[in-house]
Amino acid sequence: MKKRVTFFLASNSGAPVRQITIPKAAIGIIGGLAMLGLLTVGIVFVDYLNIRKKSMQVQQLSHEITTQNYELAGQRSKIKEFAENINTLKAKLSNLNQFEQKIRIIANIEKDSDARNVFGVGGSIPNDIDTGISLEERHNAMLREMHSQLDILDAAFIRQEESFSSLLDYLEDKRRLLASTPAIRPMNGGWVTSRFEYRKSPFTGRREFHHGLDIAARMGTPIMASADGVVIYSGRKGSLGYAIIIDHGHGMITRYGHLHECLKKRGEHVKREDIIGTVGNTGLSTGPHLHYEIRINGVPVNPEKYIIN
């Protein structure tokens, strides 16, 4: 006889007690199915949790990829902008070099024979970087080209700086030379009574060469230095009477004679248009006037050729 299990079901409502009889084998099957169901639910739940976790990881990775793509796009945009700046710098450096050449032509200044072009051997400016290429395909190629051209620009800027430095030194020497070149009339007003030429001496009556310029003016009229220099003599000097002599460098000196008074002492530095003395009638003189001389390497030259005002 098969083993059975009887269940009595009672209700608190007063209904008759019900009786259910189930074979033991059926109970085992039902229990097994229940365990299998629970196990299946557990496995499905675990899978669900794993899928949810992986979904969140995928979302996080997708966000990171999106962020990285955005950053990469920004970096590529910066790279192209940097490449355009390199092209602009090359153009500006080329214009700067052309400007220097114009200055040299105007000032008649030649470069040294061994001076190199600002862009090195050959002298041609490197081709512009193509900023229209796809960085997805040629990212590394553009970076290599940028590094190469930056090296060229570094060297070019150094050469341009050296070239401008030599040009400025030359122009500074020229400026000093111009400032030290007697170029103005040594007084305002007055009139020339004797030029740089042969004349009849007012004292001996003989024909002699007059080595300067005589400018007659009222007694006490201010006398100016005709260029920058250093006073190397101030005081009485033979037939010149009271005189001042200024050394302007470059082998040039100026002499101012027959002064009423000397207002600068030996060793003083003077600038062009500085008042150095006043018109007088000292020394071998027939009336108030200034005797003005320019000498280059000891040789008298015509002062009127140097007066530009």
Side-chain angles (χ1 to χ4, degrees):
M1 182 178 179
K2 294 182 179 180
K3 294 182 178 180
R4 294 174 178 273
V5 176
T6 301
F7 294 94
F8 295 94
L9 302 176
S11 174
N12 58 4
S13 62
V17 176
R18 297 175 62 186
Q19 179 180 341
I20 299 174
T21 302
I22 302 174
K24 281 189 174 182
I27 293 175
I29 293 172
I30 292 172
L33 289 174
M35 291 295 293
L36 181 61
L38 288 174
L39 181 61
T40 301
V41 170
I43 293 173
V44 170
F45 184 71
V46 170
D47 287 344
Y48 168 75
L49 291 178
N50 288 333
I51 291 172
R52 184 175 178 82
K53 181 179 180 181
K54 288 181 179 179
S55 175
M56 293 177 65
Q57 290 176 344
V58 168
Q59 289 180 356
Q60 183 178 355
L61 287 173
S62 176
H63 177 72
E64 291 177 356
I65 291 172
T66 301
T67 302
Q68 289 175 353
N69 286 337
Y70 179 77
E71 291 177 351
L72 184 59
Q75 290 174 353
R76 287 171 175 167
S77 176
K78 289 293 184 182
I79 289 173
K80 287 190 175 182
E81 182 181 350
F82 191 32
E84 291 171 354
N85 289 339
I86 291 176
N87 292 338
T88 302
L89 275 176
K90 284 188 300 183
K92 288 184 177 179
L93 181 58
S94 180
N95 291 337
L96 195 61
N97 186 249
Q98 291 174 9
F99 179 66
E100 181 207 344
Q101 300 309 316
K102 288 181 182 178
I103 293 176
R104 288 184 177 274
I105 291 172
I106 293 171
N108 194 27
I109 307 168
E110 294 295 333
K111 274 191 173 182
D112 295 337
S113 58
D114 60 346
R116 295 175 295 170
N117 188 282
V118 67
F119 286 107
V121 179
S124 60
I125 184 172
N127 293 329
D128 283 348
I129 300 172
D130 184 4
T131 57
I133 66 173
S134 172
L135 284 181
E136 289 83 354
E137 299 175 1
R138 298 191 57 195
H139 181 273
N140 292 334
M142 179 177 277
L143 286 177
R144 285 194 298 270
E145 179 66 15
M146 288 168 61
H147 281 299
S148 174
Q149 294 214 9
L150 280 175
D151 290 339
I152 294 173
L153 279 174
D154 282 342
F157 272 112
I158 291 173
R159 283 192 289 269
Q160 185 63 69
E161 183 180 13
E162 292 173 348
S163 185
F164 262 121
S165 179
S166 67
L167 176 60
L168 288 173
D169 288 344
Y170 183 88
L171 291 176
E172 180 61 21
D173 288 342
K174 284 290 187 183
R175 187 197 66 79
R176 285 194 291 265
L177 176 60
L178 290 174
S180 301
T181 299
I184 65 170
R185 213 166 184 267
M187 72 168 67
N188 294 319
W191 60 94
V192 176
T193 57
S194 186
R195 288 184 161 82
F196 185 81
E197 59 189 3
Y198 280 100
R199 70 173 184 178
K200 183 178 181 181
S201 171
F203 300 102
T204 66
R206 297 178 181 177
R207 188 171 183 266
E208 64 180 12
F209 195 86
H210 185 238
H211 293 107
L213 194 66
D214 285 349
I215 306 173
R218 292 181 180 276
M219 183 77 73
T221 300
I223 297 170
M224 300 178 292
S226 55
D228 297 358
V230 179
V231 176
I232 59 174
Y233 188 91
S234 179
R236 184 170 286 277
K237 190 172 181 64
S239 61
L240 283 178
Y242 284 112
I244 284 183
I245 301 175
I246 300 174
D247 185 354
H248 304 283
H250 311 284
M252 292 184 290
I253 66 168
T254 50
R255 292 158 53 105
Y256 309 79
H258 309 303
L259 275 58
H260 175 65
E261 59 179 336
C262 301
L263 300 179
K264 296 294 181 180
K265 297 179 181 179
R266 181 179 178 182
E268 285 193 64
H269 289 263
V270 294
K271 294 287 186 181
R272 180 178 286 145
E273 297 185 345
D274 281 355
I275 304 301
I276 59 173
T278 58
V279 171
N281 190 31
T282 58
L284 200 57
S285 171
T286 58
H289 76 286
L290 167 69
H291 176 80
Y292 175 58
E293 287 186 25
I294 298 177
R295 297 191 178 194
I296 299 179
N297 295 322
V299 179
V301 296
N302 188 354
E304 290 186 282
K305 290 185 177 181
Y306 287 81
I307 295 174
I308 61 175
N309 63 339

